[in-house]
Amino acid sequence: MLWLYFGILKEILGDLFLANQFISKGADGKLRINTLGLETILGTWTTKYVAENDNANVQDDLFKMYNLLLEHRDICMQLHLDDIDLGSPLLMLSFAVISERLAAALVDMYAHFKLEKPVNPRWRLQSLQKEGFVDVDQPIIDLMQARGWCPYDLRRVWVQTHEVSLLYYYSSLDPPRSSKNHSACSDKRCLAMTTYHSTYKLSHHIEGCSCPLLYADQEAMAEILRRGSVPVIAIVLDPGSNIPKITVQDITRAQGFVAISHVWAEGAGNVRDNALQSCLLTNISELVKMLP
């Protein structure tokens, strides 16, 4: 079945394709497909294609290559839907990833020649999800589950991501909030990050810290809101005591601002007062100052 991999590379890259460029020997002596040099080859292909073609004849040529990618996808999908044993589900995954990369290169060519971009061929069959069905991206899902992804986060990423390649990229990232215990979570809800007023605890930036709460002037904020404007806060150090304090400003007088959301699950909310620990606010302020 490797002709489905090397064949589509040959059809798109033409004379620039050499099979041995995509094969390497591992430490165990086994031969493996290796795409480390693909980006360099695609760069050469792009430069060569632009130099040798003009708008007069390029549209039909690009359309022909795009149709080849569609036919390649259709053949692979039919094999997958017919449950043909390829020896490893990673093979079908590799067909999808290489096809998506070639499609992205073609889309770049459409953009260069100012032609209407085609819709990228879809490899993930999300609309066919039913019990017992295994999609092309299943090896990636298995990897993300093994790495400790919360089922809720994994479901959200899976639904919102249409490209196999992008999903594979996500799988290389550290799972969000991996320090939490997600064993009781489901794809409907993340219990590890759910907050309960009765047991909610404020966090300090430094473990064991006993710094006081810093309060924002609620009357000052209310007055700004009554004027139809938006209040923003600043964390400043008192020049005499070097203790941080909160000042409230009208957004029209602020020298820029940063909005921060989704803080409750990290212990940076307060169910009782409009206040946070001074060490936490100071840390947040320092992080904001580091932004470009």
Side-chain angles (χ1 to χ4, degrees):
M1 289 296 178
L2 285 180
W3 61 272
L4 284 170
Y5 192 91
F6 291 120
I8 194 63
L9 282 168
K10 173 64 177 176
E11 290 293 334
I12 302 300
L13 298 177
D15 294 339
L16 291 177
F17 171 77
L18 295 173
N20 60 6
Q21 292 176 304
F22 296 91
I23 298 175
S24 63
K25 183 178 292 187
D28 56 2
K30 294 182 179 180
L31 297 179
R32 291 180 172 84
I33 293 177
N34 188 328
T35 57
L36 286 176
L38 178 60
E39 294 306 310
T40 300
I41 297 171
L42 282 175
T44 303
W45 175 82
T46 299
T47 302
K48 183 173 181 289
Y49 192 87
V50 170
E52 295 178 354
N53 294 276
D54 54 43
N55 290 64
N57 61 8
V58 73
Q59 186 166 5
D60 289 342
D61 191 44
L62 288 175
F63 185 68
K64 177 182 176 182
M65 286 190 282
Y66 177 74
N67 276 337
L68 283 172
L69 288 177
L70 288 179
E71 292 174 11
H72 174 258
R73 190 276 314 269
D74 290 345
I75 292 172
C76 292
M77 285 294 94
Q78 194 58 56
L79 290 171
H80 185 66
L81 292 172
D82 289 343
D83 201 23
I84 302 299
D85 184 10
L86 301 181
S88 169
L90 294 177
L91 268 179
M92 191 61 71
L93 179 63
S94 68
F95 299 157
V97 171
I98 198 66
S99 177
E100 286 183 349
R101 183 62 190 93
L102 293 174
L106 284 186
V107 168
D108 288 343
M109 286 297 94
Y110 273 88
H112 175 83
F113 290 104
K114 296 180 172 56
L115 300 171
E116 184 178 354
K117 298 178 184 179
V119 177
N120 283 345
R122 287 286 181 87
W123 280 80
R124 299 180 59 215
L125 305 177
Q126 293 163 297
S127 60
L128 296 180
Q129 293 302 309
K130 57 184 179 181
E131 187 176 354
F133 178 78
V134 178
D135 208 343
V136 173
D137 58 17
Q138 191 58 49
I140 303 176
I141 301 300
D142 292 341
L143 175 62
M144 295 173 80
Q145 289 174 334
R147 295 196 64 203
W149 276 70
C150 170
Y152 177 72
D153 286 331
L154 182 52
R155 174 70 182 179
R156 284 198 306 165
V157 169
W158 183 86
V159 169
Q160 296 172 11
T161 305
H162 302 297
E163 295 82 14
V164 176
S165 306
L166 182 56
L167 191 64
Y168 184 75
Y169 167 74
Y170 286 144
S171 74
S172 68
L173 302 177
D174 291 332
R177 301 174 294 279
S178 57
S179 61
K180 302 289 184 179
N181 182 3
H182 296 279
S183 60
C185 300
S186 69
D187 61 1
K188 301 293 190 299
R189 187 178 184 185
C190 175
L191 294 178
M193 303 303 289
T194 301
T195 60
Y196 301 94
H197 282 208
S198 60
T199 58
Y200 190 79
K201 294 181 179 180
L202 278 71
S203 293
H204 286 268
H205 173 57
I206 304 170
E207 188 175 351
C209 179
S210 59
C211 66
L213 289 168
L214 289 184
Y215 291 80
D217 188 334
Q218 296 191 59
E219 181 53 39
M221 291 192 291
E223 176 58 30
I224 293 172
L225 291 170
R226 281 192 287 267
R227 296 200 301 263
S229 190
V230 178
V232 295
I233 68 168
I235 312 299
V236 297
L237 291 178
D238 184 278
S241 62
N242 206 36
I243 296 175
K245 64 178 182 178
I246 293 178
T247 63
V248 179
Q249 304 175 33
D250 190 304
I251 193 171
T252 59
R253 299 178 180 176
Q255 300 294 317
F257 66 93
V258 173
I260 302 173
S261 66
H262 293 76
V263 298
W264 285 81
E266 308 295 343
N270 191 327
V271 298
R272 298 174 182 84
D273 296 299
N274 192 17
L276 290 175
Q277 307 293 352
S278 61
C279 68
L280 182 62
L281 282 171
T282 301
N283 179 62
I284 293 173
S285 178
E286 292 302 319
L287 292 174
V288 168
K289 291 176 183 177
M290 293 170 60
L291 295 174

